[in-house]
Amino acid sequence: MNVEEFREFGKASVDYIADYIENIRKKRVLPSVEPGYLKNEIPETAPPSGEQWRNVLSDVDRVILPGLTHWHSPHFHAYFPTANSFPGVVGELFLSGLGCVSTDWQSNPACVELEVRMMDWLAKMLGLPEHFLNESEGPGGGVIQNAASESTLVGVLSAKQKTVEMVLKEHPHLTDVDVKAKLVTYSSKESNSSVEKASLLASVPMRLLPTDAECRLRGNVLQEAIDKDKTKGLIPCCVVASLGTTGTCGFDDLEEIGRICRKENIWLHVDAAYAGAALVCPEYRYLLKGIEYVDSFNFNPHKWFLTNSDCSAMWFKNTKDAEAAFKVKATIPEEPLFEPQIENWQIPTTRRFRALKLWFVMRLYGVEGIQRHIRQQVSLAKYLEQLVRADEKFELLVSRLGVVGFRIKGRDYLTQMLLNKITERKNLYLMPYYFQNKLMVRFVVCSRLTEKEDIDFAWNEIKCITNEMQTNIINNRKLINVKKEKINANILTKVATSTFSPDLNEKLKVGLFL
Amino acid sequence: MNVEEFREFGKASVDYIADYIENIRKKRVLPSVEPGYLKNEIPETAPPSGEQWRNVLSDVDRVILPGLTHWHSPHFHAYFPTANSFPGVVGELFLSGLGCVSTDWQSNPACVELEVRMMDWLAKMLGLPEHFLNESEGPGGGVIQNAASESTLVGVLSAKQKTVEMVLKEHPHLTDVDVKAKLVTYSSKESNSSVEKASLLASVPMRLLPTDAECRLRGNVLQEAIDKDKTKGLIPCCVVASLGTTGTCGFDDLEEIGRICRKENIWLHVDAAYAGAALVCPEYRYLLKGIEYVDSFNFNPHKWFLTNSDCSAMWFKNTKDAEAAFKVKATIPEEPLFEPQIENWQIPTTRRFRALKLWFVMRLYGVEGIQRHIRQQVSLAKYLEQLVRADEKFELLVSRLGVVGFRIKGRDYLTQMLLNKITERKNLYLMPYYFQNKLMVRFVVCSRLTEKEDIDFAWNEIKCITNEMQTNIINNRKLINVKKEKINANILTKVATSTFSPDLNEKLKVGLFL
């Protein structure tokens, strides 16, 4: 492909994407393909000779689009938002087109320095403490990681290394292996499955502690678990607190947890992957109460902050702790040309120029633009909350930021049936969640394109299905009375549950029995 | 930014990138900025209101370009190639614009199924064994990871999990902790620093073994190390072999190593991050001798395979081993809608639609186009080899695939001085490396834009500097004789060494003493 073809193909692709976004509301959010559909559409081997770009573009339309779940459809309300904005897309195009990566400063001054500055812009926008800034006097700083999973892993590994060093200093007769075998970490049952995975990868057992009625991990529960472990001779090493849990957007009590962590000398990592973006609005800063106790803090601009994936922001109170865990030991400390050396706070060796898209997003939206986006999405969730409250068939369980949880009053199978029907019809994409032993519909305002009319559309769909279901159930009951037949529970199993906690999956299994 | 502005901004960016690539040969490969330059160019906080895209674009030109190391300049010969191709860039634009990620099949059928098929296309193109294919009957399969560092970590963690399970089965009286404390892994001193980092992160000690004169890890050295560790009661768990080491593109003896791994029941991971791409040409397939012993194999299409970063390809002989290490345990096994469940073979929870850019690259280049690219780059390296051989001032140390190592005959300070002058002049970007106790210039054909005239340009620059240096040295000697002054060794310390092994850094420090 020569440069002229690139200009043509690139511009045609820009138009394709623009058209796709402009018309996305008209598409059903879920695709209709059967598992394995693509095998018949794409040959078994790569073509021997290069093809024309127009063929490839038309195959995107023919093969990919029909199999796509439209994450940016205004009717996508599953998982959490995955950012997609025009400035983010062009930022990604740019960083890809320039194609410049970096290791240390010398390998690419612009890449390293822009990232250092953008992480400070971001920290200031969120109202994070001064000590997290790269430009601060102290050892704190921020860096872009690949994903929240990776950030949590980096946090847990830093905590592990720090604890081992600390214990060995106090007890020089112990070995590294002795100490590692005794480490233990904590999080809540409501934390994302990637948190448990991080402990698994870091080879440190994790206690998944129960939460209160608001899905919050509380100090007393944590303290009890720590005491119990210390009695057994174990060494508490890290707590992963969630600001905005995956299921219900619950907020752990950072202040209670933080005080305990400080007293017990335990690393505190915060996973604010989704909800962190809300801190751009001062009215949500109260959620940061206790932030002074936090050792590492993560939120994903690629979730709710309009910056296309991948872009996960992570700050450390003391970056030397991360360096100790990540810098290959034998390297001779040389006087660096530039500080901070952010390349030492991550798993990979090189880094893409992700700061560029963050820069594009923050400049083209401005602080006010991003605040407007967050407030708009929260107001849509509030609007749905009102609709739910106003309908006596439904009960509202959760409404926090963009997350709304509700259910049909009565036994769980009604809500389960509703979810199945929604998924079958493919007009909305929603998830189930168990909260306070009740199955609920978990509805998240995800797409930046969602507007009031889309909430009306969703609510109308939900109400229609519910009405129809109830009519059918009445008819079915009559039928059962006549024919002694039962409703088959198997038809209710098709709700996607993959990103939720194993605990939820267990409960869902139970929930399926009518 | 509305959709019309996106069309304008997107197309202007396509043109900017096209112009950038068209004119890249005219730019000096290394920037002239001083550390901290960007602070003065970009404000301390994000703008309150959104700006116009034209301002942002002009700031890319004003602030970013001057601080950029041009990784795609035809005069960039440092590190390894970082892929950048027109199909790759448009692929990245597309996947970013559609903005669809995936977890399991249901969350995005097209994402998952295209990745499954593309990994098979790729495996077939490289001539990898049938058992690595997703479409094969057995438990093998391939998946796209973020980076080679991550792939190695995934390999080591899978090995660890498998070994622990195996040992516990044989010795049920042991605990998980007992076994983990005894594990040990192996690689060579020449392997990439990310390999050692992986062992650090996975909490398994790694022996970095010496290589033979060709930078190859050999069977006898490995066997000796294993025997020694077993005598100590340790449990060998994983070997990371390199096909194409970072320094000199050395190839570990896969067959010798593989036989030992099979005999000892040790996981064999192959890091072929750079050189793996060469396998697309049948004439390099002999390098795969011993591949039947390999448990996990990684190469980076984002290095030499024209697919923009990030795209790291990884295959497993038995994906169940990876699943055991990565799937959060408590999840209830449900009948999946689609297999393979590639989402269980990675660290993050969600995955970008990276398969799309791989599809674009393989279709728009075709097998022949990629073969042509590899062969062209190797032939340029061979051309440089000839130039070096033909000049009696220089000695050739290495020439493998796109990597050429040479030095000025005589003591190391001459080559060190040459490297420093090259870096000062900024017309070429080269790296130092120590090989057989000699400092060499490590020259890699990196950019796909490099042509014969660029090799001539580079060689001319190298020769001119060398001639000038020699004249200066003769003059300096006269000066020293007159003024009793010494050449200051400090001016020689500015060669970038960051991505090389600590071992190298140590040697470089030593090498600086004249």
Side-chain angles (χ1 to χ4, degrees):
Chain A
M1 170 169 280
N2 64 34
V3 72
E4 287 316 312
E5 287 172 310
F6 166 67
R7 287 181 203 266
E8 285 169 25
F9 187 26
K11 290 172 189 177
S13 299
V14 168
D15 277 331
Y16 189 96
I17 292 163
D19 293 345
Y20 172 74
I21 295 291
E22 276 196 306
N23 294 298
I24 199 164
R25 183 170 279 110
K26 296 177 202 155
K27 292 179 198 293
R28 284 188 167 184
V29 60
L30 285 171
S32 298
V33 296
E34 291 298 314
Y37 86 98
L38 187 130
K39 258 193 178 170
N40 306 321
E41 305 295 337
I42 286 183
E44 286 181 10
T45 52
S49 311
E51 299 182 51
Q52 294 302 308
W53 66 260
R54 282 189 179 80
N55 296 347
V56 174
L57 190 55
S58 82
D59 273 359
V60 170
D61 211 59
R62 184 182 63 83
V63 180
I64 302 302
L65 265 283
L68 217 53
T69 298
H70 302 289
W71 284 63
H72 305 289
S73 159
H75 307 137
F76 183 103
H77 303 294
Y79 305 99
F80 271 138
T82 285
N84 194 9
S85 70
F86 292 137
V89 173
V90 183
E92 189 68 50
L93 165 63
F94 238 107
L95 80 91
S96 177
L98 297 177
C100 295
V101 298
S102 69
T103 58
D104 60 356
W105 181 87
Q106 196 151 13
S107 75
N108 219 331
C111 285
V112 173
E113 294 201 26
L114 190 69
E115 183 161 337
V116 165
R117 179 128 290 199
M118 286 308 103
M119 288 302 292
D120 282 357
W121 275 24
L122 206 49
K124 289 171 188 172
M125 273 175 83
L126 302 190
L128 293 181
E130 171 85 15
H131 62 244
F132 281 136
L133 298 182
N134 287 311
E135 67 188 34
S136 70
E137 284 293 313
V143 67
I144 301 175
Q145 308 281 8
N146 177 42
S149 324
E150 195 167 303
S151 297
T152 308
L153 181 57
V154 168
V156 172
L157 287 168
S158 303
K160 185 177 175 182
Q161 178 65 23
K162 191 186 177 187
T163 311
V164 169
E165 281 175 18
M166 201 168 61
V167 175
L168 286 181
K169 212 170 167 184
E170 284 173 29
H171 306 279
H173 60 286
L174 291 176
T175 69
D176 184 270
V177 169
D178 293 335
V179 180
K180 281 182 181 164
K182 288 183 177 160
L183 299 178
V184 58
T185 62
Y186 308 86
S187 193
S188 94
K189 286 200 168 186
E190 294 289 329
S191 66
N192 190 276
S193 62
S194 64
V195 174
E196 194 188 347
K197 198 174 188 180
S199 79
L200 196 72
L201 300 183
S203 281
V204 201
M206 180 170 272
R207 314 276 181 238
L208 294 175
L209 305 173
T211 55
D212 68 11
E214 297 297 309
C215 292
R216 292 181 298 178
L217 176 61
R218 301 296 300 270
N220 57 339
V221 177
L222 175 65
Q223 186 67 61
E224 206 177 300
I226 290 171
D227 292 345
K228 209 167 143 187
D229 282 327
K230 283 167 77 183
T231 315
K232 290 186 205 156
L234 298 176
I235 305 169
C237 143
C238 182
V239 175
V240 180
S242 306
L243 292 187
T245 58
T246 309
T248 65
C249 199
F251 289 81
D252 289 345
D253 193 318
L254 209 54
E255 200 169 32
E256 288 181 5
I257 294 171
R259 280 210 197 100
I260 295 170
C261 287
R262 178 163 293 177
K263 176 168 68 83
E264 303 278 352
N265 216 347
I266 297 173
W267 184 286
L268 178 54
H269 175 81
V270 168
D271 172 12
Y274 160 68
L279 300 170
V280 73
C281 303
E283 62 268 33
Y284 295 115
R285 301 261 169 88
Y286 73 92
L287 294 167
L288 281 178
K289 214 176 161 193
I291 186 73
E292 65 274 20
Y293 301 109
V294 173
D295 293 288
S296 51
F297 184 94
N298 162 243
F299 102 98
N300 286 350
H302 72 225
K303 280 203 162 66
W304 208 17
F305 198 83
L306 298 161
T307 311
N308 286 57
S309 184
D310 57 327
C311 187
S312 177
M314 183 178 191
W315 290 271
F316 300 89
K317 189 185 271 177
N318 187 348
T319 58
K320 303 291 168 207
D321 295 327
E323 271 180 31
F326 288 95
K327 205 171 172 180
V328 177
K329 291 285 161 46
T331 308
I332 294 171
E334 279 185 61
E335 195 62 50
L337 287 172
F338 179 77
E339 290 204 271
Q341 294 180 279
I342 54 174
E343 69 274 15
N344 292 329
W345 314 339
Q346 61 170 14
I347 295 176
T349 314
T350 52
R351 38 202 313 100
R352 299 202 309 144
F353 200 168
R354 294 176 289 208
L356 206 58
K357 58 185 168 182
L358 206 45
W359 192 41
F360 280 28
V361 167
M362 289 196 274
R363 288 188 66 181
L364 291 166
Y365 276 94
V367 179
E368 291 159 11
I370 299 173
Q371 287 173 335
R372 201 176 309 123
H373 165 69
I374 298 287
R375 286 175 185 143
Q376 160 78 356
Q377 298 236 313
V378 175
S379 78
L380 291 172
K382 291 283 164 223
Y383 176 59
L384 176 65
E385 178 192 329
Q386 285 161 20
L387 294 174
V388 176
R389 281 191 195 277
D391 193 317
E392 57 176 18
K393 279 188 192 147
F394 293 89
E395 111 189 65
L396 182 87
L397 296 187
V398 171
S399 176
R400 284 195 205 97
L401 298 178
V403 181
V404 183
F406 59 90
R407 64 195 297 281
I408 302 175
K409 285 178 185 166
R411 290 167 66 194
D412 279 349
Y413 79 95
L414 294 166
T415 300
Q416 180 70 64
M417 214 179 231
L418 168 63
L419 281 160
N420 292 341
K421 291 273 180 203
I422 288 170
T423 303
E424 265 170 35
R425 287 166 59 115
K426 303 179 196 300
N427 291 323
L428 300 175
Y429 194 13
L430 290 166
M431 289 276 171
Y433 200 74
Y434 254 88
F435 177 59
Q436 296 178 339
N437 289 319
K438 288 173 178 172
L439 182 66
M440 69 178 206
V441 176
R442 179 182 171 279
F443 186 111
V444 187
V445 180
C446 285
S447 167
R448 70 173 175 83
L449 304 169
T450 302
E451 291 178 13
K452 189 163 168 290
E453 63 173 278
D454 302 299
I455 303 294
D456 286 328
F457 172 86
W459 186 239
N460 192 45
E461 176 89 357
I462 290 164
K463 278 203 310 184
C464 283
I465 295 173
T466 306
N467 290 339
E468 201 180 295
M469 261 169 51
Q470 290 183 327
T471 314
N472 284 344
I473 286 170
I474 292 164
N475 291 340
N476 267 332
R477 280 205 187 122
K478 288 180 193 157
L479 216 64
I480 289 167
N481 284 340
V482 178
K483 296 195 180 180
K484 309 279 175 201
E485 277 179 12
K486 274 188 182 171
I487 298 167
N488 182 1
N490 289 334
I491 62 160
L492 304 179
T493 57
K494 288 186 179 168
V495 181
T497 60
S498 58
T499 57
F500 293 94
S501 66
D503 194 29
L504 168 70
N505 282 337
E506 262 168 23
K507 285 178 184 161
L508 272 178
K509 280 269 168 177
V510 177
L512 290 174
F513 297 99
L514 301 189
Chain B
M1 171 171 278
N2 64 33
V3 73
E4 287 317 314
E5 287 171 309
F6 166 68
R7 288 181 203 266
E8 286 169 25
F9 187 25
K11 290 172 188 177
S13 299
V14 168
D15 277 330
Y16 189 96
I17 292 163
D19 294 345
Y20 172 74
I21 296 291
E22 277 197 304
N23 295 297
I24 199 166
R25 183 170 278 108
K26 295 177 203 155
K27 291 179 199 292
R28 285 187 166 185
V29 59
L30 286 171
S32 299
V33 295
E34 292 297 315
Y37 86 99
L38 188 130
K39 258 192 178 171
N40 306 320
E41 305 294 338
I42 286 182
E44 286 181 10
T45 52
S49 311
E51 300 181 50
Q52 294 302 308
W53 66 261
R54 282 188 179 81
N55 296 347
V56 174
L57 189 56
S58 81
D59 274 358
V60 170
D61 211 59
R62 184 181 65 82
V63 180
I64 302 303
L65 264 284
L68 217 53
T69 298
H70 302 290
W71 284 63
H72 305 290
S73 159
H75 306 137
F76 183 102
H77 304 295
Y79 306 99
F80 271 138
T82 285
N84 194 9
S85 70
F86 293 137
V89 173
V90 183
E92 188 68 52
L93 165 63
F94 238 107
L95 79 91
S96 176
L98 297 177
C100 296
V101 298
S102 69
T103 58
D104 60 356
W105 182 86
Q106 194 151 13
S107 74
N108 219 331
C111 285
V112 173
E113 294 201 26
L114 190 68
E115 182 161 338
V116 165
R117 179 126 291 197
M118 287 307 104
M119 287 303 292
D120 283 356
W121 275 23
L122 206 48
K124 290 171 188 172
M125 274 176 84
L126 302 190
L128 294 181
E130 172 84 14
H131 62 245
F132 281 136
L133 298 182
N134 287 311
E135 69 189 34
S136 70
E137 283 294 313
V143 68
I144 302 175
Q145 307 282 9
N146 177 42
S149 324
E150 195 167 305
S151 297
T152 309
L153 181 57
V154 168
V156 172
L157 288 168
S158 303
K160 185 177 175 181
Q161 179 65 24
K162 191 186 177 186
T163 310
V164 170
E165 280 175 17
M166 201 169 61
V167 175
L168 287 180
K169 212 170 168 184
E170 284 173 30
H171 306 280
H173 59 286
L174 292 176
T175 69
D176 185 270
V177 169
D178 293 335
V179 180
K180 281 182 182 163
K182 286 184 178 161
L183 299 178
V184 59
T185 62
Y186 308 86
S187 192
S188 93
K189 286 199 170 189
E190 294 289 331
S191 66
N192 190 276
S193 63
S194 65
V195 174
E196 193 188 347
K197 199 174 188 178
S199 79
L200 196 72
L201 300 183
S203 281
V204 200
M206 179 170 274
R207 314 276 182 235
L208 294 175
L209 306 172
T211 56
D212 70 9
E214 298 296 310
C215 292
R216 292 182 298 179
L217 175 62
R218 301 296 300 269
N220 56 340
V221 176
L222 176 64
Q223 186 67 62
E224 205 176 298
I226 290 172
D227 291 345
K228 209 167 142 187
D229 281 328
K230 283 167 75 182
T231 314
K232 289 187 205 156
L234 298 177
I235 305 168
C237 143
C238 182
V239 175
V240 180
S242 306
L243 291 186
T245 58
T246 308
T248 65
C249 199
F251 288 81
D252 289 344
D253 193 317
L254 209 55
E255 201 167 32
E256 287 181 5
I257 294 170
R259 280 211 198 99
I260 295 170
C261 287
R262 178 163 293 178
K263 177 169 68 82
E264 303 278 353
N265 216 347
I266 297 173
W267 185 287
L268 177 54
H269 175 81
V270 167
D271 171 13
Y274 161 69
L279 299 169
V280 72
C281 304
E283 62 268 32
Y284 295 115
R285 300 263 169 89
Y286 72 94
L287 294 168
L288 281 178
K289 216 175 159 193
I291 186 74
E292 64 274 21
Y293 300 109
V294 173
D295 294 286
S296 50
F297 183 94
N298 161 244
F299 103 97
N300 287 349
H302 72 225
K303 280 203 163 64
W304 208 17
F305 199 82
L306 297 160
T307 310
N308 286 58
S309 183
D310 57 327
C311 187
S312 177
M314 183 177 192
W315 290 272
F316 300 88
K317 189 184 272 177
N318 186 347
T319 58
K320 302 292 167 209
D321 295 327
E323 269 179 31
F326 288 95
K327 205 170 171 179
V328 177
K329 292 285 161 45
T331 308
I332 294 170
E334 278 185 62
E335 195 62 51
L337 287 172
F338 180 77
E339 291 204 271
Q341 293 180 279
I342 55 174
E343 69 274 15
N344 292 329
W345 314 338
Q346 61 170 13
I347 296 175
T349 314
T350 53
R351 36 201 315 100
R352 300 202 308 144
F353 199 169
R354 293 176 290 208
L356 206 57
K357 57 186 168 181
L358 206 45
W359 191 40
F360 280 27
V361 167
M362 289 195 273
R363 288 188 65 180
L364 291 165
Y365 276 94
V367 179
E368 292 159 10
I370 299 173
Q371 288 173 334
R372 202 176 310 121
H373 164 69
I374 298 287
R375 286 176 184 140
Q376 160 77 357
Q377 298 236 313
V378 175
S379 77
L380 291 172
K382 290 284 164 222
Y383 175 59
L384 176 65
E385 179 191 330
Q386 285 162 20
L387 293 173
V388 176
R389 282 192 196 276
D391 192 318
E392 57 177 18
K393 279 188 192 146
F394 293 89
E395 101 188 75
L396 182 88
L397 296 187
V398 171
S399 176
R400 284 193 206 98
L401 299 178
V403 180
V404 182
F406 59 89
R407 65 194 299 280
I408 302 176
K409 285 179 185 165
R411 290 166 66 195
D412 279 348
Y413 79 96
L414 293 166
T415 300
Q416 180 71 63
M417 214 179 231
L418 168 64
L419 281 160
N420 291 342
K421 292 274 181 204
I422 288 170
T423 303
E424 265 169 35
R425 286 167 59 117
K426 304 179 195 302
N427 291 323
L428 300 176
Y429 193 14
L430 290 167
M431 288 276 171
Y433 200 73
Y434 254 87
F435 177 58
Q436 295 177 340
N437 289 318
K438 286 172 179 173
L439 182 67
M440 70 178 205
V441 176
R442 178 181 172 280
F443 185 111
V444 187
V445 180
C446 284
S447 167
R448 70 173 175 82
L449 304 168
T450 302
E451 292 178 13
K452 189 163 168 290
E453 63 170 280
D454 302 300
I455 303 295
D456 286 327
F457 172 86
W459 186 239
N460 192 45
E461 175 89 357
I462 290 165
K463 279 205 309 187
C464 283
I465 294 173
T466 306
N467 290 340
E468 199 181 297
M469 261 170 51
Q470 290 183 328
T471 314
N472 283 344
I473 287 171
I474 292 164
N475 292 339
N476 267 331
R477 279 205 188 123
K478 288 181 193 157
L479 215 65
I480 289 167
N481 284 340
V482 177
K483 296 196 179 182
K484 308 281 176 200
E485 277 182 9
K486 275 186 181 173
I487 298 168
N488 183 0
N490 289 334
I491 63 158
L492 305 179
T493 56
K494 289 188 178 168
V495 181
T497 60
S498 59
T499 55
F500 293 94
S501 65
D503 195 28
L504 168 69
N505 281 338
E506 263 168 22
K507 284 178 184 161
L508 272 177
K509 279 269 168 177
V510 177
L512 291 175
F513 297 99
L514 302 189

